[in-house]
Amino acid sequence: MQKEFFVYSVAFAAVAPGLTAPGQIIIQADADFETQKLTFTSDPKCNLLITDTGSGRNLMNKAIDLMCLFGNAQNPFILSVPKIFRANTSISFALTNYSAAETYNLQLSLIGAKLYR
């Protein structure tokens, strides 16, 4: 098996207070993807639920605060156990803005390696 650095990313534009914005990453069919680090590019008051639609499993028991799951570009959140997403599947995101007044633009990045067979 050959590993090659790769980043999948999903962007959320203008997430208004009290609203939930859906997002999705489609894992390309050429390789599985091993997620190793998670980052975001904002300082939002948001909760996030991630679902591996290939297996139908959530990666957590409920939506959790984004700050508990993603780090920033200088200090990414490193997974203690890398998560592999199978080729040709998708990852669903449900981002909920719990701020009373702020609207956010943010981008989430899954940093890892493509796993070629």
Side-chain angles (χ1 to χ4, degrees):
M1 182 178 296
Q2 175 187 346
K3 285 188 177 186
E4 183 177 284
F5 175 79
F6 198 80
V7 177
Y8 281 106
S9 191
V10 60
F12 298 88
V15 182
L19 295 183
T20 298
Q24 185 177 57
I25 291 175
I26 297 174
I27 304 301
Q28 297 168 349
D30 64 345
D32 294 338
F33 181 69
E34 177 184 76
T35 303
Q36 300 167 347
K37 300 176 182 112
L38 306 171
T39 63
F40 72 96
T41 59
S42 182
D43 189 19
K45 295 180 179 178
C46 296
N47 288 330
L48 181 69
L49 178 65
I50 303 173
T51 303
D52 177 353
T53 59
S55 68
R57 295 186 184 117
N58 291 333
L59 272 60
M60 61 275 306
N61 66 328
K62 66 174 194 149
I64 61 172
D65 192 287
L66 191 60
M67 298 293 286
C68 293
L69 188 59
F70 280 76
N72 61 29
Q74 291 79 30
N75 190 21
F77 181 85
I78 298 172
L79 300 175
S80 58
V81 177
K83 169 67 177 158
I84 296 174
F85 295 99
R86 296 289 169 213
N88 206 28
T89 61
S90 62
I91 308 164
S92 293
F93 299 86
L95 182 77
T96 302
N97 179 349
Y98 64 83
S99 168
E102 295 291 324
T103 297
Y104 301 111
N105 293 310
L106 65 108
Q107 179 173 318
L108 304 176
S109 297
L110 283 64
I111 301 165
K114 280 191 164 187
L115 305 174
Y116 294 97
R117 297 174 191 223

